[in-house]
Amino acid sequence: MTVRTITTSTLKTLKNSVIGNPAAKLALAQDTALIHLLVNCIKHPSTSYVDTQGSHDDIRVESAHVIASISYGSEVALISLIHANALHAFLFALSNMKPHDPVQLKSALARGLRVLSTAIAEVVGPSQLGLRTWSPDLRSEAKVALSYLFEFDCLNIFLPLLADPSSQTNIAIAQLISTTVRSDAHRNAVIEWLPPAERSKEIKGRRGWEKKEMVNSSSPARQGGWVVRLLVNFLQKKDIKLQEAALSAISSLAMENTVVANTLARAWPDTVDPPLNIVLNLTKSRSTDVQLTASLCAAHVLRANASHHPGSIDYSAALNVIHVINRVLSSSSETTQNKIKTCYTLYHLVKDDRDLCREVYERGTLEKVVLLAKHITPLERTSEWEEDEPESILALREATLTVIAAISLFDNNIRREVADDLHIVPAIQVSLSHKNIGIRHAACTCLRALSRAVSIIRTNIVDSKIGMELFAIFKKEDEDPRVTYAALNTICNLVNDFSPLRPKLLDQGLLPRLMQLLASDDINMRVGALWAMRNALRKSDPSTRQTVMTHLCWPRLVMLCNDSNTEIQEQAMSILRNLAEDEEGVDYVFEYIDKETLANCITSGLESSNEDVTHHTACFLANIANGSREQQDFIFAHAHIIHAMHDCMTDAKSDTRCPLISCIFSLVQSNIRRKHELNEAGITSTLRHMCDWTGGVISMSPGGHHRIHVDDDKEAAKLARSVLDLLEHSNIGDLL
């Protein structure tokens, strides 16, 4: 509809016309003049275009409602609002509110700011509920807009509204925090913010020589911040909507943030129970929405609190969350939206935690999720099925597959239960080809978890042909990069030495596709491509090695071994290690890499600050030491390798130290007359210290700069003793 005279009536009609009407939203978004008119109304309606049929305040309220209504669901509408500086308009209007302004106006402006900011944050990501796709141009502009929202001057406008007398305004700002905080930088900006009065107290309360950390622990800044303290106070109100908004905001601030999590898990000076106890009590609320939001909040607090102390999760608190999850998943009356939230709460609770994955498996939660996924996934592919499916069901299928993948990641028993007893593979298979990107991505992720089990690859994946279907998706150059990356992670498992699919994948174009991805600007894609090559080379025959290196090329491998990115360097050194798994492989490496270049690669790897790089380099060196006398002499001929080995032995962990000592053992066995070179490098002395295993930290000889960390390093000490015994026997032989 065309609107040129702004009245309360025309704005209400306009608002009603766009709600649930994508075509009307698009038409309005393309009316640039009207969009600018609405934005100007929010700031201060001009009498030149405002009819007398409504007050200025009513006009501003309705304009805010219209903008909020068109913020979601249309890229064109959102980019039009960004271009019209709608975000700035809301902030400007809120910053100029007067004490006598009506509460309804302030609430409408706060709500409009929340809805628009949420739409912008959803574009920037990461998405809070599933995978989304946006145009690069919109994403670029949204990033700029979201960064502006979290600038200090903007925080000074909307965060004080948490203390506003109106609960509606409080709710809008708490919801804004919960939906827009998507990064550590923005999270910390909110956590550390203080109102001007508190700011001056912090400065005056700290003497010039004191560090920030020494401020009184009872101050709001030391209790997770002014914002967190206010949100915790909201939890104790009787307003369910306010409780839900506050829980959601705390959840976003506590996510992967140990400062906030630790603050919430301990009692405050003016309270008896820790705020976490209040959150856990709210998991028993009469409101399902509050229960679910409290459960997600508790999950983030528990995981962040335990992130620096593996194995220290509070299981009694986690069980409260699991109880809510099981109840919702078991209920036939719960809404689809609540089940989606439940799945993602479960995902955030168990992700990357082996023990919690086992816990929810044993308590039947995993079975409930698998049965739900199967129930909503028809196994016959039809165009009508994909066209007619509600968006909510698509989102639920994505959520179920995502959480199944997370729970199945670590344990073979769980994987076998999911594949063999609960028969999830057909549902994954039909989802791989779905038009919805989120479902395809979740299906690839789920298959990746299952493909970590040898038995599942050899039976379910091969028999169903799902492995080759995934490979077809992986080869599609026009596929969404996120789906390609998820498929790549699965391919890494399918090309391992135990997989019957390795020869087939290599024959049908795996390596050319990997080389395309290796040229990508995405570092994760490059690492994944190298990882797949690394696995394809493990326990491989000479023909496979030659095929891989024909595509990868030796000069490129040398460059990758010296890459500035340690993840790339790790994969490259692992490729060298796998190429040299036997004598023929070691000869192959020496044939194509000159000795000086190879020696420099080894030294660089041993001197790396990355433990994975040093580990693979140490294993590669141990493979060389098991080669011919000429190849062993190569190690002795480069003194910098011997010295790097010594330095690495004193600083590395056991899984790196053991292959280095094995390397030395092989060298001593075949080159006993060159033991003095090991003595000169300090290796023999270091081995003696390692044999003095005490379960603590052993210092080097006086004047030494290294300390040997030998916690639980009995295996390394045992190997060191074997080398020393060999050396001592050689001394007796010399005397004879």
Side-chain angles (χ1 to χ4, degrees):
M1 62 182 292
T2 301
V3 177
R4 286 295 172 265
T5 302
I6 301 295
T7 68
T8 305
S9 175
T10 58
L11 287 173
K12 286 182 177 180
T13 302
L14 185 60
K15 175 184 68 177
N16 292 334
S17 71
V18 299
I19 293 175
N21 189 336
K25 284 186 180 183
L26 180 61
L28 177 55
Q30 293 171 333
D31 190 341
T32 307
L34 180 55
I35 292 289
H36 280 83
L37 207 59
L38 292 169
V39 170
N40 286 331
C41 280
I42 290 173
K43 288 183 178 179
H44 34 64
S46 168
T47 54
S48 62
Y49 54 77
V50 175
D51 194 285
T52 56
Q53 295 178 37
S55 72
H56 288 187
D57 291 335
D58 291 339
I59 296 292
R60 297 176 77 188
V61 167
E62 292 303 326
S63 296
H65 289 334
V66 173
I67 290 177
S69 297
I70 65 173
S71 295
Y72 265 116
S74 167
E75 287 196 15
V76 176
L78 185 56
I79 206 162
S80 295
L81 292 172
I82 292 174
H83 287 169
N85 288 322
L87 198 63
H88 174 266
F90 277 118
L91 290 165
F92 178 83
L94 285 167
S95 68
N96 285 281
M97 293 292 294
K98 300 295 187 291
H100 60 270
D101 285 330
V103 173
Q104 292 84 352
L105 174 60
K106 186 186 293 184
S107 297
L109 292 172
R111 178 183 174 276
L113 176 65
R114 186 263 298 173
V115 174
L116 177 59
S117 300
T118 299
I120 291 170
E122 189 63 23
V123 173
V124 175
S127 175
Q128 292 178 330
L129 295 174
L131 220 57
R132 300 291 180 269
T133 303
W134 310 97
S135 69
D137 290 342
L138 174 58
R139 189 166 163 76
S140 177
E141 297 207 39
K143 284 182 178 179
V144 174
L146 190 63
S147 294
Y148 168 69
L149 180 69
F150 283 93
E151 288 180 3
F152 187 69
D153 289 342
C154 294
L155 295 178
N156 285 341
I157 295 171
F158 68 83
L159 286 181
L161 296 176
L162 283 172
D164 192 83
S166 165
S167 64
Q168 292 303 309
T169 303
N170 301 154
I171 290 169
I173 301 304
Q175 289 173 335
L176 183 151
I177 293 169
S178 74
T179 55
T180 59
V181 171
R182 308 285 177 112
S183 69
D184 288 339
H186 294 163
R187 189 170 288 112
N188 289 332
V190 173
I191 292 166
E192 295 168 5
W193 186 87
L194 290 171
E198 295 290 346
R199 246 173 266 161
S200 60
K201 286 181 185 178
E202 286 288 307
I203 295 170
K204 291 177 182 178
R206 188 169 71 241
R207 293 180 286 272
W209 52 267
E210 286 184 312
K211 294 182 180 180
K212 185 177 180 180
E213 289 78 7
M214 297 175 68
V215 180
N216 185 341
S217 63
S218 65
S219 72
R222 304 315 308 146
Q223 293 180 358
W226 180 86
V227 171
V228 172
R229 187 170 183 81
L230 215 54
L231 292 170
V232 169
N233 287 339
F234 289 160
L235 300 184
Q236 300 171 76
K237 306 288 186 182
K238 299 301 182 183
D239 186 332
I240 288 178
K241 290 294 183 185
L242 183 59
Q243 286 179 334
E244 184 184 349
L247 285 165
S248 191
I250 294 170
S251 177
S252 291
L253 296 177
M255 184 178 183
E256 298 178 358
N257 189 292
T258 54
V259 173
V260 172
N262 288 335
T263 298
L264 295 170
R266 65 171 185 262
W268 292 358
D270 55 346
T271 61
V272 177
D273 291 327
L276 178 57
N277 284 7
I278 302 173
V279 173
L280 292 171
N281 285 335
L282 289 172
T283 63
K284 303 166 187 174
S285 167
R286 293 182 179 179
S287 164
T288 300
D289 289 334
V290 172
Q291 285 182 30
L292 289 174
T293 312
S295 297
L296 179 61
C297 183
H300 281 312
V301 173
L302 293 172
R303 291 303 306 275
N305 202 30
S307 60
H308 288 301
H309 307 284
S312 64
I313 195 81
D314 183 346
Y315 278 95
S316 62
L319 288 177
N320 282 359
V321 177
I322 294 170
H323 174 75
V324 174
I325 291 169
N326 280 342
R327 185 193 65 76
V328 174
L329 292 176
S330 300
S331 173
S332 58
S333 60
E334 284 294 349
T335 65
T336 300
Q337 194 60 37
N338 277 348
K339 290 191 175 181
I340 294 169
K341 291 179 182 177
T342 301
C343 285
Y344 284 111
T345 297
L346 178 57
Y347 172 78
H348 288 297
L349 178 67
V350 305
K351 184 182 70 168
D352 297 329
D353 189 294
R354 182 188 299 268
D355 293 334
L356 281 172
C357 287
R358 165 62 63 174
E359 189 73 36
V360 297
Y361 163 64
E362 292 177 348
R363 292 185 175 273
T365 312
L366 174 60
E367 182 179 2
K368 290 178 173 61
V369 178
V370 173
L371 293 177
L372 177 59
K374 291 171 62 179
H375 176 70
I376 60 173
T377 307
L379 298 184
E380 292 185 14
R381 296 186 180 103
T382 63
S383 57
E384 293 80 8
W385 163 50
E386 292 195 0
E387 292 296 331
D388 296 340
E389 270 198 303
E391 287 292 325
S392 59
I393 296 298
L394 299 181
L396 181 57
R397 184 176 306 121
E398 179 185 357
T400 55
L401 292 175
T402 298
V403 77
I404 290 167
I407 299 171
S408 305
L409 193 61
F410 298 106
D411 192 312
N412 268 338
N413 291 329
I414 294 176
R415 287 190 277 266
R416 284 194 291 266
E417 169 95 7
V418 169
D420 297 336
D421 299 336
L422 297 175
H423 307 291
I424 191 61
V425 172
I428 298 173
Q429 192 163 8
V430 76
S431 298
L432 278 176
S433 59
H434 200 282
K435 68 176 184 178
N436 182 281
I437 290 173
I439 290 177
R440 293 203 305 277
H441 178 272
C444 290
T445 305
C446 207
L447 190 57
R448 176 218 172 189
L450 297 182
S451 65
R452 298 183 78 177
V454 178
S455 62
I456 293 177
I457 288 183
R458 290 177 174 172
T459 55
N460 305 76
I461 291 177
V462 171
D463 294 346
S464 66
K465 298 182 173 55
I466 191 174
M468 298 312 296
E469 288 186 34
L470 176 124
F471 184 54
I473 292 172
F474 171 69
K475 289 174 66 177
K476 287 175 60 179
E477 295 183 25
D478 60 346
E479 180 58 90
D480 185 283
R482 294 166 294 182
V483 176
T484 299
Y485 181 64
L488 173 59
N489 287 332
T490 310
I491 293 293
C492 287
N493 294 337
L494 298 183
V495 295
N496 265 307
D497 58 288
F498 51 73
S499 171
L501 293 177
R502 178 196 272 181
K504 201 169 184 179
L505 297 175
L506 289 171
D507 288 343
Q508 295 190 18
L510 172 64
L511 291 168
R513 180 62 171 143
L514 291 177
M515 292 309 300
Q516 285 180 328
L517 299 179
L518 186 56
S520 167
D521 293 331
D522 185 334
I523 187 63
N524 292 324
M525 203 77 83
R526 295 181 66 209
V527 170
L530 288 172
W531 205 317
M533 292 184 200
R534 154 190 171 175
N535 287 355
L537 287 166
R538 179 168 169 76
K539 297 183 180 179
S540 59
D541 55 38
S543 173
T544 300
R545 294 172 196 160
Q546 187 173 6
T547 302
V548 172
M549 291 313 301
T550 298
H551 288 83
L552 181 57
C553 301
W554 292 97
R556 183 184 286 111
L557 178 57
V558 170
M559 287 177 57
L560 295 170
C561 285
N562 295 284
D563 197 274
S564 58
N565 185 288
T566 56
E567 290 184 88
I568 295 288
Q569 195 180 1
E570 175 200 344
Q571 299 307 321
M573 290 307 306
S574 183
I575 287 173
L576 270 180
R577 170 191 176 182
N578 289 348
L579 283 167
E581 282 184 321
D582 53 31
E583 283 193 40
E584 190 175 356
V586 175
D587 291 339
Y588 187 43
V589 171
F590 273 84
E591 181 182 352
Y592 285 96
I593 303 180
D594 70 85
K595 292 180 179 179
E596 289 304 317
T597 300
L598 188 59
N600 290 333
C601 284
I602 292 170
T603 303
S604 173
L606 291 176
E607 292 176 346
S608 172
S609 59
N610 183 282
E611 292 174 358
D612 293 319
V613 174
T614 58
H615 170 70
H616 290 298
T617 307
C619 292
F620 172 53
L621 196 56
N623 289 346
I624 293 176
N626 285 322
S628 66
R629 176 65 67 89
E630 180 185 354
Q631 288 152 359
Q632 292 177 340
D633 288 342
F634 154 80
I635 297 174
F636 283 110
H638 295 84
H640 55 91
I641 293 181
I642 300 290
H643 287 287
M645 288 171 63
H646 169 259
D647 293 344
C648 192
M649 280 172 56
T650 60
D651 294 333
K653 290 185 176 180
S654 176
D655 64 345
T656 298
R657 194 178 297 123
C658 285
L660 285 175
I661 301 172
S662 296
C663 174
I664 294 166
F665 185 84
S666 298
L667 294 175
V668 171
Q669 271 188 317
S670 304
N671 300 271
I672 197 67
R673 301 290 179 185
R674 305 188 70 165
K675 64 184 180 183
H676 65 279
E677 294 174 57
L678 301 178
N679 285 329
E680 289 174 2
I683 286 179
T684 306
S685 174
T686 298
L687 291 173
R688 294 189 193 283
H689 281 286
M690 293 178 67
C691 289
D692 297 331
W693 187 85
T694 60
V697 179
I698 300 175
S699 297
M700 288 288 291
S701 55
H705 298 290
H706 301 284
R707 291 164 65 81
I708 306 172
H709 298 265
V710 292
D711 291 324
D712 301 322
D713 206 359
K714 293 181 180 180
E715 182 62 29
K718 183 179 177 181
L719 286 168
R721 171 48 59 195
S722 299
V723 177
L724 291 174
D725 287 344
L726 195 61
L727 290 170
E728 288 169 6
H729 285 307
S730 72
N731 289 336
I732 295 172
D734 291 343
L735 291 173
L736 294 175

